Amino acid sequence: MRVLLLSAYDAESHKRWRRGLVAAFPGWEWTVLTLPARYFSWRIRGNSLSWAMGPERVTLEQSYDLVIATSMTDLSALRGLVPALAALPTLVYFHENQFAYPKTGLAHQSVEPQILNLYTALCGDRVVFNSEFNRRTFLEGAATLLNKLPDCVPPQVMEHVATRSLVMPVPLEQELFNFAYGSGGKPDYFTISWAARWEYDKGPDRLLSILESLETAGVDYRLNLLGQSFRKVPSELIEIQDRFAHRLLQVGFVESLEEYRKILAVSDVFLSTAYHEFQGLAVMEATALGAIPLVPHSMAYPEIYPASCLYESAAGAVQRMLALQSIKQRGGTLEPVPMAHYGWDNWREPYENAIRAACGP
């Protein structure tokens, strides 16, 4: 099997997926092209031009059995610019979709990313989503967009995508389930970890509200405030570092993957406050390492975690943490949430089946 793998906006979760996919099928011949995850508006509109008219064209014109592309790839334009790709079977993978991002003044509001998502999905012989939430919001959002268009919209567009679509998550690396973080065990104090991009859509305002409620409730805890920051840091995260300095352990981006996993492995709770999440690899990774996930009762989370891990409000999150802290104080065990079924060992066969189905008879 000769596979051309295209990751046009190669964010961290996209990297983990493509690396895991290549490692899962070592006997196949893989050619991988990526573009950096920056300059969003230009990248999603310009990736076909960058590749088709750049030095990568020679690579694109080689012989392949299949193209696998992320949904950020402008696949319809790329096929037009590089005719050698036009007739190849194609599998498209959706890590996210442009219809389900929260509507705020800070979000990108152009309809063009949505149209590009739709056109790329229409190019796929198989269209794979990392969660049912992702699949549903894409199909509903694209249908709503098409219904707003004035004329000449074919009636079977969304049916064409839906009948070719399926759900398969980004699997977890098997090494996570055998990770050894040392012999000392977890510390005596109650430890919460929060790890996300330091941006508004990851809910820093929600995190601040929860921390304020923990203080009011008199909870004795420590916090790892982790993640990558950018030029503009949300004001709530600055305020948290100031007001809750006495609670903080690790702050910011942890360069060493092993050290990052050690932090998660000794955490009692991994807290998500995100306003959008199509799968949530960071939560899944922390859960696999033994932290108890505490996540909003929305988005993709109810597909993955039991009801005991879901919260409706800041007050609900605090009540759950109080209960977990009480168990720990009494010397009880915080029962981990099983995650081994999300490992690559369980998903290699479904991925192969989807890939071979895309190739046809």
Side-chain angles (χ1 to χ4, degrees):
M1 180 81 75
R2 296 161 300 175
V3 185
L4 174 63
L5 176 54
L6 303 173
S7 182
Y9 194 84
D10 205 38
E12 286 303 313
S13 61
H14 300 212
K15 291 177 184 177
R16 289 182 70 172
W17 167 77
R18 65 171 173 80
R19 289 168 179 166
L21 186 61
V22 170
F25 302 101
W28 295 1
E29 183 180 328
W30 292 91
T31 300
V32 180
L33 294 181
T34 68
L35 288 168
R38 57 176 184 255
Y39 310 128
F40 174 82
S41 298
W42 157 240
R43 185 68 69 236
I44 62 166
R45 193 64 186 95
N47 62 76
S48 57
L49 181 65
S50 298
W51 278 332
M53 306 303 290
E56 294 83 3
R57 186 181 184 93
V58 174
T59 300
L60 295 171
E61 291 181 325
Q62 300 302 307
S63 177
Y64 301 103
D65 299 307
L66 173 73
V67 176
I68 299 179
T70 65
S71 60
M72 295 293 197
T73 306
D74 188 1
L75 196 55
S76 59
L78 188 61
R79 283 176 144 182
L81 291 167
V82 186
L85 299 176
L88 290 177
T90 303
L91 182 145
V92 174
Y93 194 83
F94 274 74
H95 293 270
E96 64 280 292
N97 74 75
Q98 297 302 311
F99 296 94
Y101 282 96
K103 299 292 189 295
T104 78
L106 297 175
H108 193 280
Q109 297 298 311
S110 170
V111 74
E112 188 168 36
Q114 298 177 347
I115 291 288
L116 289 172
N117 259 190
L118 175 57
Y119 284 6
T120 293
L122 289 168
C123 286
D125 295 288
R126 285 295 182 273
V127 184
V128 182
F129 295 86
N130 62 352
S131 67
E132 179 57 34
F133 168 75
N134 192 0
R135 178 184 181 274
R136 174 176 54 80
T137 54
F138 171 81
L139 294 174
E140 291 175 354
T144 298
L145 174 62
L146 291 175
N147 287 335
K148 293 178 180 178
L149 302 180
D151 64 1
C152 301
V153 178
Q156 304 300 321
V157 173
M158 296 318 301
E159 182 179 342
H160 178 86
V161 178
T163 56
R164 298 170 179 225
S165 68
L166 63 157
V167 173
M168 295 194 299
V170 176
L172 296 171
E173 300 88 348
Q174 289 299 133
E175 66 204 48
L176 281 171
F177 305 106
N178 300 307
F179 184 79
Y181 61 86
S183 58
K186 297 192 177 186
D188 293 336
Y189 47 76
F190 189 70
T191 308
I192 303 164
S193 285
W194 183 95
R197 285 182 288 102
W198 285 24
E199 294 184 312
Y200 78 95
D201 57 317
K202 296 304 182 182
D205 57 335
R206 186 184 268 170
L207 174 62
L208 176 59
S209 176
I210 289 172
L211 295 180
E212 289 173 337
S213 297
L214 287 173
E215 295 293 327
T216 300
V219 179
D220 185 18
Y221 68 93
R222 299 294 183 273
L223 173 68
N224 294 302
L225 185 66
L226 309 176
Q228 186 178 10
S229 60
F230 304 93
R231 286 182 299 173
K232 184 174 177 58
V233 175
S235 60
E236 294 89 350
L237 293 175
I238 297 173
E239 183 176 349
I240 287 169
Q241 292 178 77
D242 181 35
R243 289 177 55 193
F244 301 93
H246 60 296
R247 300 293 190 187
L248 296 178
L249 297 172
Q250 296 287 330
V251 176
F253 185 74
V254 180
E255 293 285 348
S256 166
L257 178 60
E258 183 177 2
E259 288 303 312
Y260 173 71
R261 288 178 173 173
K262 284 181 180 179
I263 292 169
L264 298 182
V266 298
S267 299
D268 296 302
V269 166
F270 187 92
L271 175 65
S272 169
T273 57
Y275 286 114
H276 84 81
E277 198 65 85
F278 295 98
Q279 180 180 333
L281 267 176
V283 187
M284 294 178 73
E285 181 176 21
T287 305
L289 290 168
I292 305 299
L294 192 56
V295 298
H297 196 305
S298 59
M299 303 167 287
Y301 291 134
E303 300 174 40
I304 303 171
Y305 304 102
S308 61
C309 297
L310 309 175
Y311 66 86
E312 298 278 3
S313 64
V318 171
Q319 287 302 311
R320 178 61 178 151
M321 281 193 271
L322 281 169
L324 291 170
Q325 185 199 37
S326 177
I327 293 171
K328 181 169 183 172
Q329 285 180 333
R330 297 196 308 269
T333 301
L334 302 182
E335 292 296 331
V337 176
M339 293 298 287
H341 54 294
Y342 282 105
W344 262 111
D345 282 357
N346 279 11
W347 284 96
R348 186 177 291 105
E349 183 176 349
Y351 265 87
E352 181 170 5
N353 291 340
I355 289 168
R356 294 198 182 278
C359 292

